[in-house]
Amino acid sequence: MAKKVAVILAGCGVYDGSEIHESSAVYVHLSRAGAQTEFFAPNIDQMHVVNHIKGLPTEDKRNVLEESARIARGNIKDLKDLDVSEYDAVIIPGGFGVAKNLSTWAVKGKDCSVAKEVEAVIKGFHGAKKPIGLCCISPVLAAKLFPGCELTVGCDTECEKWPYAGTAAAIKELGCKHINKQVSEVHVDAKNKLVTTSAFMCNSPVHEIYDGIGEMVKSVLKLTN
């Protein structure tokens, strides 16, 4: 039987939604592995809409589910309808939408809250001992919900290659263990069935991001056996 994986999106576009290349990489690697992918997103308004040329907020209002449908080619469901029992694993790509729409991390950092529907789904998979794949900024969701877990967002020392390394310090402050990994690597927290990789937390060529996400997908699927 093909593995059935739920992928949770947070909009469409790196600055206010899901990172499109990460989301696509997840989808392609799941397809190559013979897994069945189903997309979900919360039916809520985005925190705001960002002009992706200027990098600045606009006055527009957009819906997270409707925007996520762009990535899913229209084949997407409301997150409230996700039944954990029907899936073998869940994966959440990165992008600022994770920190703005799935949580309040962008505004409150480690003092953030996770959206109730998102929290319920992540805790549901965790409680069922089903693997959870997280890349880029999305590991902060697990850091907030599962104190003591092990995660990676890449490197904990800020430099040109690792411009978001401060996130690792916040993860540590939440009582979690951060493991330094290169962009092509993943960290597997076997106890919690969490698989994390840095993706665009690293200033790397897109093919390296793609390959690292491939390793995450492989490790997630391995944990379903």
Side-chain angles (χ1 to χ4, degrees):
M1 287 285 290
K3 300 299 181 182
K4 197 173 176 184
V5 180
V7 176
I8 299 176
L9 300 178
C12 181
V14 57
Y15 297 130
D16 57 13
S18 289
E19 211 296 321
I20 295 170
H21 300 288
E22 292 181 17
S23 303
S24 177
V26 167
Y27 195 14
V28 169
H29 284 295
L30 284 170
S31 175
R32 180 168 287 139
Q36 179 182 345
T37 304
E38 292 195 3
F39 290 102
F40 292 87
N43 187 10
I44 58 174
D45 287 338
Q46 293 183 184
M47 185 186 104
H48 62 189
V49 177
V50 175
N51 179 319
H52 277 57
I53 296 175
K54 297 180 179 179
L56 298 172
T58 72
E59 296 300 316
D60 294 352
K61 292 190 180 298
R62 296 189 184 182
N63 176 278
V64 173
L65 179 59
E66 291 175 3
E67 289 300 296
S68 298
R70 296 173 182 272
I71 295 174
R73 297 173 59 84
N75 190 11
I76 193 167
K77 299 176 182 176
D78 193 323
L79 184 61
K80 70 179 178 59
D81 296 326
L82 197 163
D83 183 346
V84 173
S85 68
E86 295 181 1
Y87 298 88
D88 297 292
V90 65
I91 294 177
I92 307 178
F96 279 95
V98 172
K100 294 177 177 180
N101 305 326
L102 304 189
S103 72
T104 58
W105 184 274
V107 178
K108 298 185 177 179
K110 66 182 179 62
D111 298 319
C112 76
S113 59
V114 178
K116 288 183 179 179
E117 286 181 359
V118 178
E119 178 176 350
V121 167
I122 294 174
K123 285 186 173 178
F125 276 91
H126 185 261
K129 298 188 180 340
K130 294 181 177 183
I132 300 167
L134 304 163
C135 64
C136 193
I137 191 64
S138 64
V140 302
L141 301 175
K144 188 66 182 178
L145 298 176
F146 309 124
C149 69
E150 298 179 359
L151 304 162
T152 189
V153 289
C155 182
D156 60 5
T157 303
E158 193 164 317
C159 60
E160 184 178 357
K161 185 177 180 181
W162 298 100
Y164 307 107
T167 304
I171 285 173
K172 293 174 187 176
E173 288 179 27
L174 285 168
C176 301
K177 185 175 182 180
H178 181 268
I179 313 296
N180 284 344
K181 292 286 184 178
Q182 293 302 313
V183 67
S184 60
E185 299 176 315
V186 301
H187 179 68
V188 179
D189 178 343
K191 177 183 176 183
N192 289 293
K193 288 201 169 185
L194 296 172
V195 183
T196 50
T197 192
S198 62
F200 276 108
M201 297 297 271
C202 183
N203 186 14
S204 284
V206 68
H207 71 276
E208 294 183 6
I209 308 293
Y210 179 92
D211 291 346
I213 289 173
E215 291 303 309
M216 177 189 70
V217 168
K218 285 179 189 174
S219 296
V220 166
L221 293 175
K222 190 180 294 184
L223 287 173
T224 64
N225 296 324

